[in-house]
Amino acid sequence: MTERLYYNDSYLTEFRARVIESSPDLRRVYLDRTAFYPTSGGQPFDIGTLGGVRVSEVVDEDTRVAHILDEPLSEAEISGVIDWQRRFDHMQQHTGQHLLSAVLIGLFDATTVSFHLGAESSNIEVSRVLEPEQIRQAEQRANQIVYENRPVDVSFRDSSEDLGLRKPTDREGVIRIVSIQDLDRSACGGTHVRATGEIGSLLIRKQERIRGNLRIEFLCGMRAVKRARADFEALSAIGRSFSSTLDETPALVAAQLEKFQESDRARRRLSTELAQARGRELYTQTTPGPDGVRRIQQRVETLSDDVRAEAQSFTAGEKSIFVALAANPPSVLLAASTDSGINAKEALIKAGARGGGTPAMAQGRLNSTEDFSLPE
Ligand SMILES: [Zn+2]
């Protein structure tokens, strides 16, 4: 059984221990005592060194803690060092979770059903959906309690006592209880800061509805500061390109987008009108064949709406056939006036194209546009 030093002192970063057991390759090590936190309860494992060898993972094996090492460790008596920056960050996020969960149940009766501490951000899932205004209120309340710097205490009590826990536990015997003064009592084996002030700012970010629950993303401490800085820089860049202040940017972007959509609609309309005019002009410029039919064949990059508009306009004139061969992908558009003597759809299939349409206009894919010939 490994003695877990972090249960009583989450600020312990260096310790001495004896190696009790090792795997044959000496890279999985069990100690009599450890300050390394193994992944459990939503909080990831610590990293650091044992006897100078890097610890890359720590696994909770019920009564024992396994330390996974980068290299073999053969010494029997070693000193361990915890990566404090990573650990303290975890302590901030984890205590922040207790705080946020307690605030959400206090204000809105929203019970936390799960917790995940991620590399970038953390999230809790609560049992009900909350309005944006409620999220703002919860964030404010949580930060108020941070500024009050309330003590966070750890105690060990027997499960048979009336413990007044936020969430009932089914554990038997001695239970570790983490309390935030006058706010929260939770059964928890994780590492926490000693007062709410050390959590630092608590920033709530996106929410996502999941199976009737609400997943709430949050960041504490330096993560919140870094995120706010990144947000500011991203918003500033947008603001600069619109020559506006940050606060004015959202309205300005929305207005610009509307303007853009409006002018895009106008551009499409003009483009179609231009294509139609081209089709009419082309018709008057094309000399009819001996059978009186005007035939035109064009090469285009793609079969766009404009090409179709031009074809339609060309074949609005009597006795006319319009063919457009597109390079990308190899394809053909065929339009024919009703008195042209051909049915566009049938002629298209006869010419070996895979596609469809109407007797007036059809289009389809070709293996190659090289050997396509205009139907007579
Ligand atoms: Zn906890």
Side-chain angles (χ1 to χ4, degrees):
M1 186 162 169
T2 315
E3 187 193 344
R4 301 177 190 232
L5 300 169
Y6 57 82
Y7 272 169
N8 287 308
D9 185 1
S10 57
Y11 290 81
L12 184 68
T13 58
E14 291 188 34
F15 65 101
R16 297 281 302 170
R18 278 188 307 120
V19 176
I20 299 292
E21 199 186 316
S22 300
S23 60
D25 67 358
L26 303 174
R27 289 176 55 181
R28 189 180 192 94
V29 171
Y30 299 89
L31 308 173
D32 60 340
R33 59 211 292 263
T34 188
F36 277 89
Y37 186 80
T39 300
S40 58
Q43 181 182 333
F45 60 86
D46 288 331
I47 56 170
T49 57
L50 276 185
V53 176
R54 222 182 91 84
V55 176
S56 54
E57 200 189 338
V58 188
V59 183
D60 198 335
E61 294 181 358
D62 196 20
T63 59
R64 302 200 301 175
V65 174
H67 305 76
I68 317 298
L69 306 173
D70 279 359
E71 288 163 44
L73 179 72
S74 51
E75 289 152 68
E77 295 263 347
I78 47 98
S79 58
V81 180
I82 307 292
D83 180 326
W84 177 241
Q85 205 180 332
R86 175 177 161 99
R87 159 66 82 73
F88 185 65
D89 169 63
H90 289 170
M91 284 159 59
Q92 287 181 307
Q93 312 311 315
H94 191 143
T95 316
Q97 178 263 311
H98 283 239
L99 170 61
L100 182 60
S101 292
V103 164
L104 286 170
I105 204 161
L107 288 178
F108 308 116
D109 205 26
T111 311
T112 297
V113 293
S114 73
F115 164 50
H116 172 74
L117 201 172
E120 299 287 324
S121 65
S122 306
N123 63 65
I124 52 170
E125 229 173 276
V126 296
S127 57
R128 52 162 295 195
V129 173
L130 297 164
E131 297 304 317
E133 181 48 37
Q134 293 176 311
I135 293 289
R136 272 194 290 275
Q137 274 181 47
E139 188 180 61
Q140 280 216 337
R141 183 77 192 119
N143 281 289
Q144 250 166 24
I145 295 167
V146 166
Y147 308 144
E148 288 168 12
N149 203 22
R150 296 193 195 179
V152 178
D153 292 317
V154 173
S155 60
F156 295 87
R157 304 278 291 277
D158 195 87
S159 61
S160 59
E161 294 177 53
D162 178 15
L163 301 171
L165 300 176
R166 167 161 47 84
K167 199 173 168 183
T169 176
D170 47 15
R171 283 176 184 254
E172 302 262 308
V174 177
I175 294 174
R176 185 171 184 259
I177 296 165
V178 176
S179 317
I180 300 175
Q181 194 181 67
D182 299 329
L183 180 77
D184 187 49
R185 287 169 65 79
S186 293
C188 185
T191 60
H192 309 81
V193 295
R194 57 195 148 205
T196 54
E198 288 189 25
I199 295 170
S201 291
L202 188 151
L203 181 68
I204 297 184
R205 287 175 60 81
K206 69 169 184 248
Q207 291 106 60
E208 200 181 341
R209 289 174 78 145
I210 262 169
R211 305 176 293 268
N213 292 340
L214 188 68
R215 182 176 288 173
I216 304 170
E217 184 192 36
F218 70 95
L219 304 150
C220 299
M222 203 49 88
R223 290 189 186 199
V225 174
K226 282 183 183 159
R227 190 61 252 176
R229 160 75 26 202
D231 288 353
F232 173 77
E233 283 169 6
L235 272 172
S236 298
I238 298 170
R240 272 196 302 278
S241 51
F242 284 92
S243 305
S244 80
T245 65
L246 285 196
D247 294 341
E248 289 168 345
T249 303
L252 207 70
V253 168
Q256 292 282 332
L257 186 65
E258 204 175 311
K259 238 188 210 169
F260 165 76
Q261 285 165 342
E262 217 171 86
S263 57
D264 193 52
R265 276 193 296 273
R267 186 195 58 76
R268 280 167 203 259
R269 200 181 54 242
L270 289 171
S271 178
T272 304
E273 282 175 19
L274 186 65
Q276 287 166 340
R278 250 194 336 261
R280 281 194 298 274
E281 198 188 348
L282 207 56
Y283 180 83
T284 55
Q285 286 170 356
T286 305
T287 315
D291 56 356
V293 175
R294 293 172 208 235
R295 291 178 173 82
I296 189 88
Q297 181 164 313
Q298 289 192 335
R299 287 200 172 265
V300 296
E301 187 51 34
T302 56
L303 296 178
S304 63
D305 286 344
D306 286 354
V307 174
R308 279 184 284 276
E310 190 176 337
Q312 205 169 25
S313 174
F314 184 87
T315 53
E318 57 187 24
K319 291 200 168 185
S320 52
I321 298 172
F322 181 103
V323 176
L325 293 167
N328 196 14
S331 45
V332 58
L333 174 94
L334 177 59
S337 65
T338 44
D339 55 3
S340 64
I342 70 161
N343 175 315
K345 188 180 171 185
E346 285 172 6
L348 185 92
I349 288 159
K350 210 188 281 178
R354 299 173 303 280
T358 66
M361 192 186 292
Q363 77 178 64
R365 294 285 289 269
L366 295 168
N367 291 330
S368 161
T369 57
E370 293 311 313
D371 50 0
F372 184 86
S373 61
L374 188 68
E376 293 300 325

